[in-house]
Amino acid sequence: MRSNIFIAYFTISSLLLLSACGLGNESQEADTEATKSETIYPVEISTVVAGDNKDIISSVGTLRFRRETSLGFTTSGKVSNVRYNEGDRVRRGSLIAALDTTTVNADIGLARAELDRAKSEFDRIESLFKQGWVTKSQLERSQANYQAAQARIEQANFASDTAKLYAPSNGIIIRRNIDPGQIISVGSPALIFGQLDSGYIMRIPLTSSDAAKINVGIPVEVSISSIKEEIFSARVTEIDGRANEQTGAFFAIVELPADSRFKSGQIGTANFIIANDETKIAIPSGAISGMRASEAIIYIYDEESKTVKLRNIILGQLNDTQVEVLEGLSLGEQIIVRGHEKLTNGDSVKVVNRGEAKTTSAKTNPAKPSSTQTALKGEPAKK
């Protein structure tokens, strides 16, 4: 009898204990769900506005002086000395190179002697003509010989003067083609001289379709690979009217200001800024939660419900700060630009400024899957 009473008592106690445990678990689950529903994330938002309606055409070109002059001698001869090397700066009027003038000086001596003889002969014939002893044709022949001797002396003096090369302006020796002792012929380029006073230009190859969009005078932003973190403002001054026969490219000439850091032959990138009438949408690149190829995921803020909605968009051109949106967004919509890392579709958020976002904390669920990752895998985002 006592044993039956004990068994009944134990059974009732066990049932009560199990019931209490079940209520405890249900209470914990309810608390967890309540915690989830109460989680509010601090975010920053931005209103979608029209982006910069300008297209950019980029191409790589070569820097050079606006005026690069080929210097040479007007007479042939042996090079006596060359005072500068490639890359040297030269002042206006400085002697750059000279020919050996031994032969030229000898020619000058012979020309002067011939001039003196021809002048004496002309004076004698002229005196005899006045006395009637010689004919007019003899006088004219003597006068022609005298004039020819004058021309030969002028030619010899010119050869002497042009046996030296002087800098036509302040500049730089771009290329040196001669050395002392070398025999150079008339018209051969001895040196290539870049005039500093003329400034610099950049020759930029373009495809036919890009060249058709570019006009003289449009602004260009130029960056030089050897000059870090600086953009130079320039403008288009010339565009080829005919494509290069070998490459099929059109060349645009961009004029740059003089700068001591520029060197002929430097490689740079030119961004041609072209106005466009189309309305474009651009958003901060930090608003992108995930990206694959030309598609990306962002969060849209619903001001009425204070929640966020996941949105797929199609991207256009992008840079370090902004990205163009081709499809999926409209002007006036509000997007999450900061604080979207822990969001999923439908989460409640609190809009704060940047300073508050750094200091505001919110409860998070570590086990909560990211809807961004889900969407990128091709699965439906949480609704």
Side-chain angles (χ1 to χ4, degrees), residues 295-320:
E295 297 183 4
I297 294 173
I298 62 171
Y299 284 97
I300 305 295
Y301 174 66
D302 186 341
E303 189 170 2
E304 183 177 350
S305 63
K306 309 295 190 217
T307 59
V308 296
K309 295 179 181 178
L310 201 62
R311 179 78 63 83
N312 290 329
I313 59 174
I314 305 299
L315 302 180
Q317 296 181 350
L318 67 152
N319 54 40
D320 294 337

Short mmCIF file of all heavy atoms in Angstrom, two decimals, residues 295-320:
data_model
loop_
_atom_site.label_atom_id
_atom_site.label_comp_id
_atom_site.label_asym_id
_atom_site.label_seq_id
_atom_site.Cartn_x
_atom_site.Cartn_y
_atom_site.Cartn_z
N GLU A 295 26.25 43.31 -61.49
CA GLU A 295 25.15 43.38 -60.55
C GLU A 295 25.65 43.68 -59.15
O GLU A 295 26.76 43.29 -58.79
CB GLU A 295 24.36 42.07 -60.55
CG GLU A 295 23.70 41.75 -61.88
CD GLU A 295 22.88 40.47 -61.80
OE1 GLU A 295 22.78 39.91 -60.69
OE2 GLU A 295 22.33 40.06 -62.82
N ALA A 296 24.81 44.33 -58.36
CA ALA A 296 25.18 44.65 -56.98
C ALA A 296 23.93 44.64 -56.12
O ALA A 296 22.79 44.63 -56.61
CB ALA A 296 25.87 46.00 -56.90
N ILE A 297 24.14 44.63 -54.80
CA ILE A 297 23.05 44.62 -53.82
C ILE A 297 23.19 45.81 -52.90
O ILE A 297 24.29 46.12 -52.43
CB ILE A 297 23.08 43.32 -52.99
CG1 ILE A 297 22.78 42.13 -53.89
CG2 ILE A 297 22.09 43.38 -51.85
CD1 ILE A 297 22.95 40.81 -53.20
N ILE A 298 22.08 46.51 -52.68
CA ILE A 298 22.06 47.62 -51.74
C ILE A 298 20.81 47.48 -50.87
O ILE A 298 19.95 46.63 -51.12
CB ILE A 298 22.03 48.98 -52.47
CG1 ILE A 298 20.77 49.10 -53.31
CG2 ILE A 298 23.29 49.20 -53.29
CD1 ILE A 298 20.56 50.48 -53.90
N TYR A 299 20.71 48.33 -49.85
CA TYR A 299 19.53 48.35 -48.99
C TYR A 299 18.81 49.69 -49.16
O TYR A 299 19.44 50.75 -49.13
CB TYR A 299 19.92 48.18 -47.52
CG TYR A 299 20.27 46.74 -47.17
CD1 TYR A 299 21.61 46.32 -47.15
CD2 TYR A 299 19.28 45.82 -46.87
CE1 TYR A 299 21.94 45.02 -46.84
CE2 TYR A 299 19.61 44.51 -46.54
CZ TYR A 299 20.92 44.11 -46.53
OH TYR A 299 21.24 42.82 -46.21
N ILE A 300 17.49 49.60 -49.34
CA ILE A 300 16.63 50.78 -49.47
C ILE A 300 15.97 51.04 -48.11
O ILE A 300 15.49 50.12 -47.44
CB ILE A 300 15.53 50.55 -50.53
CG1 ILE A 300 16.17 50.14 -51.87
CG2 ILE A 300 14.68 51.80 -50.70
CD1 ILE A 300 17.03 51.19 -52.50
N TYR A 301 15.94 52.29 -47.71
CA TYR A 301 15.34 52.66 -46.43
C TYR A 301 13.88 53.06 -46.64
O TYR A 301 13.56 53.90 -47.48
CB TYR A 301 16.12 53.81 -45.81
CG TYR A 301 15.49 54.36 -44.53
CD1 TYR A 301 15.42 53.59 -43.39
CD2 TYR A 301 14.99 55.66 -44.50
CE1 TYR A 301 14.85 54.10 -42.23
CE2 TYR A 301 14.43 56.18 -43.34
CZ TYR A 301 14.36 55.38 -42.21
OH TYR A 301 13.80 55.89 -41.06
N ASP A 302 12.98 52.42 -45.86
CA ASP A 302 11.56 52.75 -45.87
C ASP A 302 11.29 53.66 -44.68
O ASP A 302 11.29 53.22 -43.53
CB ASP A 302 10.72 51.48 -45.78
CG ASP A 302 9.22 51.76 -45.95
OD1 ASP A 302 8.82 52.93 -45.78
OD2 ASP A 302 8.48 50.82 -46.22
N GLU A 303 11.05 54.93 -44.97
CA GLU A 303 10.90 55.91 -43.89
C GLU A 303 9.64 55.66 -43.06
O GLU A 303 9.63 55.93 -41.85
CB GLU A 303 10.87 57.32 -44.49
CG GLU A 303 10.94 58.42 -43.46
CD GLU A 303 11.15 59.77 -44.08
OE1 GLU A 303 11.19 59.85 -45.33
OE2 GLU A 303 11.29 60.74 -43.32
N GLU A 304 8.61 55.11 -43.66
CA GLU A 304 7.36 54.90 -42.93
C GLU A 304 7.49 53.79 -41.90
O GLU A 304 7.08 53.93 -40.74
CB GLU A 304 6.24 54.57 -43.92
CG GLU A 304 4.88 54.40 -43.25
CD GLU A 304 3.78 54.15 -44.26
OE1 GLU A 304 4.04 54.30 -45.48
OE2 GLU A 304 2.66 53.83 -43.84
N SER A 305 8.08 52.67 -42.30
CA SER A 305 8.21 51.53 -41.37
C SER A 305 9.54 51.51 -40.65
O SER A 305 9.74 50.67 -39.77
CB SER A 305 8.03 50.23 -42.15
OG SER A 305 9.07 50.09 -43.11
N LYS A 306 10.46 52.39 -40.99
CA LYS A 306 11.79 52.43 -40.39
C LYS A 306 12.51 51.10 -40.58
O LYS A 306 13.27 50.65 -39.72
CB LYS A 306 11.73 52.75 -38.89
CG LYS A 306 10.91 53.98 -38.56
CD LYS A 306 11.54 55.23 -39.14
CE LYS A 306 10.81 56.45 -38.57
NZ LYS A 306 10.63 57.53 -39.50
N THR A 307 12.32 50.46 -41.72
CA THR A 307 12.98 49.20 -42.03
C THR A 307 13.72 49.32 -43.36
O THR A 307 13.60 50.32 -44.07
CB THR A 307 11.96 48.05 -42.11
OG1 THR A 307 11.01 48.36 -43.14
CG2 THR A 307 11.26 47.85 -40.77
N VAL A 308 14.46 48.26 -43.66
CA VAL A 308 15.22 48.26 -44.91
C VAL A 308 14.74 47.13 -45.81
O VAL A 308 14.22 46.11 -45.34
CB VAL A 308 16.73 48.10 -44.65
CG1 VAL A 308 17.27 49.29 -43.89
CG2 VAL A 308 17.03 46.80 -43.91
N LYS A 309 14.91 47.35 -47.12
CA LYS A 309 14.54 46.34 -48.10
C LYS A 309 15.74 46.09 -49.02
O LYS A 309 16.41 47.03 -49.45
CB LYS A 309 13.34 46.81 -48.94
CG LYS A 309 12.07 46.98 -48.14
CD LYS A 309 10.93 47.47 -49.03
CE LYS A 309 9.65 47.67 -48.22
NZ LYS A 309 8.54 48.18 -49.06
N LEU A 310 15.98 44.83 -49.29
CA LEU A 310 17.08 44.45 -50.16
C LEU A 310 16.72 44.76 -51.61
O LEU A 310 15.60 44.54 -52.04
CB LEU A 310 17.36 42.96 -50.01
CG LEU A 310 18.75 42.46 -50.43
CD1 LEU A 310 19.82 43.10 -49.59
CD2 LEU A 310 18.81 40.94 -50.29
N ARG A 311 17.71 45.27 -52.39
CA ARG A 311 17.44 45.65 -53.77
C ARG A 311 18.62 45.26 -54.67
O ARG A 311 19.79 45.53 -54.33
CB ARG A 311 17.23 47.16 -53.86
CG ARG A 311 16.96 47.71 -55.26
CD ARG A 311 15.55 47.48 -55.72
NE ARG A 311 14.58 48.18 -54.88
CZ ARG A 311 14.26 49.47 -55.01
NH1 ARG A 311 14.82 50.20 -55.97
NH2 ARG A 311 13.36 50.02 -54.21
N ASN A 312 18.34 44.61 -55.78
CA ASN A 312 19.36 44.31 -56.78
C ASN A 312 19.42 45.45 -57.79
O ASN A 312 18.38 45.94 -58.24
CB ASN A 312 19.05 43.01 -57.52
CG ASN A 312 19.21 41.80 -56.62
OD1 ASN A 312 20.02 41.81 -55.73
ND2 ASN A 312 18.41 40.77 -56.87
N ILE A 313 20.63 45.88 -58.16
CA ILE A 313 20.80 46.96 -59.12
C ILE A 313 21.82 46.55 -60.17
O ILE A 313 22.62 45.63 -59.96
CB ILE A 313 21.25 48.28 -58.44
CG1 ILE A 313 22.58 48.07 -57.69
CG2 ILE A 313 20.18 48.80 -57.50
CD1 ILE A 313 23.16 49.34 -57.10
N ILE A 314 21.80 47.24 -61.31
CA ILE A 314 22.76 47.03 -62.39
C ILE A 314 23.72 48.21 -62.41
O ILE A 314 23.29 49.37 -62.43
CB ILE A 314 22.08 46.89 -63.76
CG1 ILE A 314 21.03 45.78 -63.71
CG2 ILE A 314 23.10 46.61 -64.85
CD1 ILE A 314 21.59 44.41 -63.38
N LEU A 315 25.02 47.92 -62.42
CA LEU A 315 26.05 48.95 -62.32
C LEU A 315 26.55 49.38 -63.69
O LEU A 315 26.56 48.61 -64.65
CB LEU A 315 27.22 48.46 -61.49
CG LEU A 315 26.92 48.01 -60.06
CD1 LEU A 315 28.19 47.55 -59.37
CD2 LEU A 315 26.24 49.11 -59.27
N GLY A 316 27.03 50.65 -63.73
CA GLY A 316 27.71 51.17 -64.91
C GLY A 316 29.17 51.43 -64.57
O GLY A 316 29.85 50.58 -63.98
N GLN A 317 29.66 52.61 -64.90
CA GLN A 317 31.04 52.96 -64.59
C GLN A 317 31.20 53.19 -63.09
O GLN A 317 30.28 53.64 -62.42
CB GLN A 317 31.46 54.21 -65.35
CG GLN A 317 31.46 54.02 -66.86
CD GLN A 317 31.90 55.28 -67.59
OE1 GLN A 317 32.03 56.34 -67.00
NE2 GLN A 317 32.12 55.16 -68.89
N LEU A 318 32.38 52.88 -62.58
CA LEU A 318 32.64 53.11 -61.17
C LEU A 318 34.06 53.61 -60.97
O LEU A 318 34.94 53.41 -61.79
CB LEU A 318 32.41 51.83 -60.36
CG LEU A 318 33.38 50.66 -60.59
CD1 LEU A 318 33.46 49.82 -59.33
CD2 LEU A 318 32.89 49.80 -61.74
N ASN A 319 34.26 54.30 -59.83
CA ASN A 319 35.58 54.75 -59.43
C ASN A 319 35.73 54.52 -57.94
O ASN A 319 34.96 53.78 -57.33
CB ASN A 319 35.81 56.23 -59.81
CG ASN A 319 34.72 57.13 -59.26
OD1 ASN A 319 34.25 56.97 -58.14
ND2 ASN A 319 34.31 58.10 -60.07
N ASP A 320 36.71 55.18 -57.31
CA ASP A 320 36.98 54.94 -55.90
C ASP A 320 35.88 55.47 -54.99
O ASP A 320 35.74 55.01 -53.86
CB ASP A 320 38.31 55.58 -55.49
CG ASP A 320 39.48 54.91 -56.19
OD1 ASP A 320 39.32 53.74 -56.61
OD2 ASP A 320 40.54 55.54 -56.32
#
